[in-house]
Amino acid sequence: MKIIVCLKQVPKRDLALRLNEAGTWIAEADLSWEINEPDAYALEEALRLKERLGGEVIVCSLGPARVEQALREALAKGADRALHLLDPAFEGLDAFNTARVLAEALRRESFDLILTGLQSDDHGYAQTGVILAELLGLPHATIVMQIEVLDGRLKVKRELEAGWFQWVELPLPALLTIQSGINQPRYATLKGIMGAKKKEIRRLALADLGLSAQELRNKQELMRVFFPTKAKRTEFLEGTPEEIAARLVEKLRYEAKVL
Amino acid sequence: MKIFVLAEHRDGKLNRATWEVIVAGQHLAAHLKGSVSAVLLGRDIRGLAEELAAKRLHEVLVVEDERLAEYTPDGYTAALIEVIRQEAPAFVLMSHTYQARDFAPKLAAALGKALISDCLGYRVDDGTVIYTRPIFQGKIHADVRFADDPPYLVTFQAGAFRADEIEAASEPVPIRAIPIDLSPVPIRTRPLEVFREAKQAVDLSSAERIVAVGRGIKSEENLALIRQLAEALNAEIGASRPVCDSGWLPMDRQIGSSGQTVSPKLYLAIGISGAIQHVVGMKGSRTIVAINKDPEAPIFDIADYGIVGDLFEIVPALIKALKQLRE
Ligand SMILES: Cc1cc2nc3c(=O)[nH]c(=O)nc-3n(C[C@H](O)[C@H](O)[C@H](O)COP(=O)(O)OP(=O)(O)OC[C@H]3O[C@@H](n4cnc5c(N)ncnc54)[C@H](O)[C@@H]3O)c2cc1C
Ligand SMILES: Nc1ncnc2c1ncn2[C@@H]1O[C@H](COP(=O)(O)O)[C@@H](O)[C@H]1O
């Protein structure tokens, strides 16, 4: 089974984010980066399918030079090769155009299955995978928590709201968007990290994909970003941990009356 | 200016979120001097259409077809493309539900249009509608607008508008069937049974006090601290998704859109950032306390009491203070 995994590199969680001076995006200069969480689960799922059924896992990411690190990490975990979609014209693309570029790159590969994350941590569109499926004419299922490969078909468990699930069958080739928690992702081994150095990362730019910058005009425009003003007046408790604890207990007892 | 709201339903019931989006549509219509119509897809949906027709709408548009009996992305997309082609709405509004996540981007791509997803609200600035949506899991917000022609496809986050603000109609509005032939449309996915996992062992919905733990706890071993706190408070333990994904706590402790919905008297969120998918499951709690080292964490937006600090310092002090109270 030939499986493609689309992964996005996003700022590490748990970092304090700042905005750039123009207020049009975050300040990216001193950030550290990681693979978008559900994408890491998608990669693991692809590796497990390959281990079960044989085949190849190709990882694909659109982003600036730093993205190579994410691709190397995926190769170290066991992906066979990587595609890096890199061009100044790819900067700041919306979900539609990101999918558009991914589609052009992946059209050139024969594949049985494409896995993406269900949502990115930064833009959080929750769209790119589904658009990609449509552009490639593939059936899809979203928010997938289990994959079974039948004969030429897939049976997948989709998460629904409030603890419900649904099984869905679809033919191959197909695209699935993967939800966090579908598996327990592995760590790269030292051997894997050494081996990854020899694996191919192919760079594809605008011209390689037969696209022009005009074609990639965004359909939605990000005007500005800002820290939201808090709607609720939270009462912040300050002091040493002991003082805070004592004050909270008092508040819960006499104000909130929950103790 | 035609504004369409897509009604969502399952098992013969309209999704509550539909009312919220109708409210969004009614507001938008007031701003832009437009009309709002509901669009309903399915089979045997007369009752639902009548329920919708009791609201102040221009009309209720119904597509009834055997092939829409169960939701599929192919069926819904094909039907909506045709509705949009025939009726030419300027806006198609939806709730950012799991179902909309599943087909709305496909619909947008098939139309060659943009979808602005997960919006918290909008404002009209010089005739242009500007949408606000969360980025970075709600830590930051973004103002976004369409840079393209209509139809404009928008999904709104649950809770972005208040369902109880919906305007009722003085008399039922017209219900109009739109004839669409879906027989040539290939439906590639086959929906099978809907189910819940084996009976949940814990029911957190009736708990009076919940100590909920998030990724900030860092490791499974550190959960001992949370257990002590829960014991001192006589509380149940709940968790955010990553804690359950990692297998540190069973799935049935998960609170949020894909877990349980709770409304205890006291909810302590410890090392939880407050992503919307968590918050929808606990925002009905009476008193919310958040402990988080990040002063910008969205959880503070809904907390009554906030503590900005290291949980590994605060929680032990809190356990001690609670023990003293007992003695
Ligand atoms: C379709 C879908 C469904 C989902 N369903 C759910 C759901 O049902 N429930 C759910 O919870 N999530 C759900 N999620 C995931 C959700 O979007 C968030 O990713 C998740 O809630 C984040 O969990 P968290 O707050 O524990 O982790 P993070 O967002 O990583 O936050 C950890 C927090 O801990 C703080 N912290 C770190 N160290 C310390 C310390 N020493 N002291 C104090 N604070 C510290 C950090 O500042 C941070 O705010 C869903 C997502 C999607 C897309
Ligand atoms: N720049 C990118 N490169 C590779 N994959 C991406 C990129 N952007 C989004 N994706 C994929 O699409 C999924 C959904 O992203 P989004 O639509 O931004 O929420 C992600 O989880 C990734 O799998």
Side-chain angles (χ1 to χ4, degrees):
Chain A
M1 187 132 147
K2 190 162 158 188
I3 308 170
I4 295 174
V5 182
C6 295
L7 29 105
K8 184 171 194 181
Q9 194 187 41
V10 295
K12 267 215 165 83
R13 287 165 172 279
D14 232 30
L15 291 179
L17 298 174
R18 286 177 301 112
L19 306 185
N20 67 14
E21 253 172 56
T24 51
W25 191 239
I26 56 164
E28 291 197 345
D30 310 317
L31 291 179
S32 39
W33 302 82
E34 66 188 356
I35 295 175
N36 185 46
E37 183 170 49
D39 307 5
Y41 284 97
L43 171 63
E44 176 64 32
E45 203 56 27
L47 295 173
R48 289 182 187 197
L49 285 170
K50 179 188 142 181
E51 283 159 7
R52 253 191 357 248
L53 306 165
E56 191 183 12
V57 173
I58 303 155
V59 286
C60 177
S61 188
L62 177 154
R66 56 169 161 76
V67 164
E68 197 170 315
Q69 185 200 334
L71 293 172
R72 282 276 170 231
E73 184 185 329
L75 294 173
K77 287 186 175 183
D80 298 288
R81 59 190 172 88
L83 303 174
H84 184 181
L85 313 184
L86 174 71
D87 195 293
F90 298 161
E91 259 170 52
L93 293 184
D94 62 11
F96 182 87
N97 284 303
T98 301
R100 181 86 204 283
V101 177
L102 289 170
E104 288 315 317
L106 301 186
R107 228 186 270 288
R108 285 141 205 265
E109 300 280 341
S110 62
F111 54 80
D112 302 296
L113 181 63
I114 300 178
L115 302 182
T116 74
L118 84 164
Q119 176 168 333
S120 60
D121 250 11
D122 53 1
H123 279 287
Y125 292 123
Q127 295 188 40
T128 309
V130 178
I131 298 173
L132 178 59
E134 179 63 18
L135 296 179
L136 292 173
L138 300 172
H140 76 269
T142 54
I143 323 193
V144 168
M145 286 295 277
Q146 194 176 324
I147 304 174
E148 285 173 15
V149 183
L150 313 167
D151 171 34
R153 283 170 306 143
L154 293 174
K155 189 176 166 195
V156 302
K157 184 169 115 185
R158 290 193 59 215
E159 183 178 297
L160 306 178
E161 274 120 341
W164 291 87
F165 296 92
Q166 180 169 31
W167 285 104
V168 171
E169 256 185 36
L170 62 169
L172 287 167
L175 183 144
L176 304 175
T177 82
I178 302 297
Q179 167 69 302
S180 302
I182 185 173
N183 52 41
Q184 295 296 330
R186 70 193 67 190
Y187 293 97
T189 59
L190 193 59
K191 188 162 161 263
I193 293 167
M194 298 310 289
K197 293 189 176 138
K198 293 194 244 41
K199 291 181 180 169
E200 179 197 29
I201 299 184
R202 193 149 104 234
R203 291 191 172 180
L204 294 168
L206 193 65
D208 302 321
L209 300 175
L211 287 165
S212 69
Q214 274 80 17
E215 282 174 275
L216 298 179
R217 273 204 19 230
N218 277 346
K219 293 172 185 293
Q220 55 183 297
E221 183 197 346
L222 181 63
M223 300 166 70
R224 69 174 189 122
V225 301
F226 54 98
F227 284 102
T229 47
K230 304 281 178 218
K232 184 158 173 173
R233 291 274 299 279
T234 301
E235 187 176 343
F236 284 97
L237 308 180
E238 284 159 14
T240 64
E242 289 69 31
E243 286 162 0
I244 291 173
R247 290 196 50 211
L248 180 63
V249 168
E250 198 181 287
K251 296 272 178 198
L252 293 182
R253 235 182 139 188
Y254 299 108
E255 249 177 52
K257 300 196 168 55
V258 286
L259 285 188
Chain B
M1 175 135 354
K2 285 192 194 172
I3 300 167
F4 281 9
V5 172
L6 185 70
E8 185 172 319
H9 57 97
R10 183 182 281 281
D11 296 334
K13 279 200 218 69
L14 287 169
N15 188 331
R16 237 194 87 80
T18 298
W19 304 122
E20 296 179 8
V21 185
I22 291 177
V23 170
Q26 288 177 336
H27 287 189
L28 194 62
H31 274 120
L32 301 176
K33 306 204 182 5
S35 70
V36 192
S37 297
V39 178
L40 184 64
L41 312 179
R43 188 193 57 189
D44 302 335
I45 44 178
R46 187 73 206 179
L48 300 181
E50 280 166 8
E51 212 181 314
L52 288 163
K55 304 304 173 192
R56 206 166 72 85
L57 295 167
H58 177 60
E59 53 186 350
V60 178
L61 302 173
V62 178
V63 183
E64 276 211 88
D65 195 291
E66 186 56 38
R67 309 194 111 201
L68 299 173
E70 277 183 281
Y71 162 78
T72 59
D74 285 337
Y76 265 49
T77 302
L80 287 168
I81 286 176
E82 198 45 33
V83 169
I84 290 168
R85 194 189 64 79
Q86 290 186 24
E87 302 289 326
F91 292 87
V92 180
L93 311 182
M94 294 161 272
S95 179
H96 192 63
T97 57
Y98 284 32
Q99 190 175 95
R101 286 164 173 270
D102 197 55
F103 76 86
K106 175 179 166 71
L107 174 64
L111 295 165
K113 297 292 167 196
L115 165 68
I116 298 189
S117 50
D118 201 21
C119 297
L120 300 161
Y122 73 90
R123 64 175 192 279
V124 182
D125 201 352
D126 245 353
T128 310
V129 186
I130 297 169
Y131 305 86
T132 301
R133 61 184 304 280
I135 54 176
F136 294 97
Q137 303 236 318
K139 286 180 205 121
I140 299 177
H141 287 180
D143 278 348
V144 187
R145 70 176 167 212
F146 286 98
D148 200 4
D149 306 322
Y152 300 130
L153 277 63
V154 183
T155 65
F156 287 104
Q157 189 170 96
F161 289 84
R162 292 185 49 159
D164 58 5
E165 285 178 7
I166 200 161
E167 291 181 59
S170 46
E171 56 186 84
V173 306
I175 298 173
R176 177 158 65 92
I178 302 187
I180 295 179
D181 179 15
L182 288 176
S183 58
V185 176
I187 308 276
R188 295 167 296 180
T189 55
R190 197 154 75 92
L192 305 171
E193 70 270 25
V194 175
F195 63 100
R196 263 178 194 275
E197 294 293 7
K199 187 107 187 78
Q200 308 231 316
V202 278
D203 177 14
L204 297 177
S205 65
S206 55
E208 293 225 332
R209 304 189 187 94
I210 294 176
V211 173
V213 56
R215 200 197 313 254
I217 196 71
K218 301 241 167 22
S219 73
E220 190 172 2
E221 296 76 69
N222 292 337
L223 282 178
L225 198 59
I226 300 301
R227 292 207 174 86
Q228 285 168 33
L229 178 60
E231 199 178 319
L233 271 169
N234 193 14
E236 283 283 355
I237 293 178
S240 68
R241 180 165 191 131
V243 171
C244 301
D245 281 350
S246 306
W248 300 344
L249 282 172
M251 275 283 269
D252 52 16
R253 298 267 166 192
Q254 184 174 309
I255 290 164
S257 62
S258 48
Q260 299 201 41
T261 300
V262 300
S263 49
K265 286 187 184 150
L266 175 64
Y267 192 92
L268 240 92
I270 302 176
I272 292 178
S273 63
I276 179 65
Q277 293 87 3
H278 185 78
V279 167
V280 291
M282 49 65 76
K283 65 176 181 212
S285 307
R286 205 173 75 196
T287 299
I288 299 170
V289 180
I291 304 176
N292 198 302
K293 65 172 190 194
D294 174 11
E296 304 287 352
I299 191 75
F300 288 127
D301 204 21
I302 57 156
D304 298 280
Y305 302 108
I307 297 167
V308 178
D310 184 351
L311 74 90
F312 297 105
E313 293 174 9
I314 309 291
V315 174
L318 192 54
I319 295 169
K320 215 161 129 203
L322 286 165
K323 279 193 180 146
Q324 275 166 7
L325 184 70
R326 287 276 157 83
E327 278 154 17

